Amino acid sequence: LAFVIPGVGRIMKAAPIEDAMRRLGADAFAVFYMGVTFPYIFLLRQVNDPHGGYVVIMVMAVIFGGDTGAYFAGRFLGKHKLAPTISPKKTIEGVIGGLAAGVGVMFLAKATFPGHASLTVVDCIILGAGGAGFGVLGDLVESLMKRAYGVKDSGNLIPGHGGALDRIDGLLFSGPLMLFYL
């Protein structure tokens, strides 16, 4: 149904016909993108049972902490653009700040969340830097899609945040990484 419903929608609004295949391809990619990555966020809850909820919070904290660290490091130290045609404000210094913040959040999670004491220093570095790094990749992919379609925001559900997809794009990439590692 995930492919049938968009297909029927495109049949009902096929004009201009020359553009129909591109739109169908974009619809199929959206279904595939969300369908493959989003379930991993729910599967994270099964890790470290009965403390699975803390695993989900930890992953979210790494992503959001990495975003915050990247923002401030980029704002105050950023000089070298990361991908100016895709995301003009992202800098290499911001990414480094985000990776450091992600690692810091992992050490904080290890110290405070039930069931996380067994994580090693190496685990914290890999999960923190990997989670924050994949979060940046998810954000860049979503920015690429928005730029390709000439839209600034993916929706207006959350004012000032570019849409709901902007809030979870990092999770969509980091969730699978962190699940497989854990």
Side-chain angles (χ1 to χ4, degrees), residues 118-138:
S118 64
L119 293 173
T120 66
V121 169
V122 173
D123 292 335
C124 289
I125 292 170
I126 290 172
L127 288 168
F134 272 58
V136 171
L137 290 175

Side-chain angles (χ1 to χ4, degrees), residues 3-153:
F3 290 104
V4 171
I5 292 171
V8 169
R10 293 299 177 194
I11 289 170
M12 298 177 84
K13 189 177 178 187
I17 196 72
E18 299 79 19
D19 201 31
M21 194 61 205
R22 183 189 62 79
R23 289 180 294 152
L24 272 173
D27 293 344
F29 178 77
V31 168
F32 180 75
Y33 177 59
M34 294 299 289
V36 169
T37 58
F38 198 70
Y40 287 99
I41 297 167
F42 296 105
L43 293 173
L44 281 164
R45 188 155 168 65
Q46 297 173 0
V47 175
N48 200 9
D49 206 32
H51 303 293
Y54 287 104
V55 174
V56 175
I57 292 169
M58 174 197 71
V59 171
M60 293 172 70
V62 165
I63 304 309
F64 300 151
D67 282 351
T68 303
Y71 172 77
F72 284 109
R75 182 132 165 93
F76 295 110
L77 305 172
K79 297 207 182 326
H80 303 92
K81 300 293 183 189
L82 179 66
T85 57
I86 297 171
S87 190
K89 293 183 181 178
K90 281 196 180 15
T91 64
I92 293 170
E93 294 83 2
V95 171
I96 293 168
L99 297 176
V103 171
V105 167
M106 272 308 304
F107 280 108
L108 186 63
K110 173 185 170 33
T112 58
F113 287 171
H116 285 69
S118 64
L119 293 173
T120 66
V121 169
V122 173
D123 292 335
C124 289
I125 292 170
I126 290 172
L127 288 168
F134 272 58
V136 171
L137 290 175
D139 187 55
L140 286 172
V141 167
E142 199 241 342
S143 293
L144 178 68
M145 290 187 282
K146 289 191 312 187
R147 296 246 182 251
Y149 281 94
V151 295
K152 183 181 181 322
D153 296 332

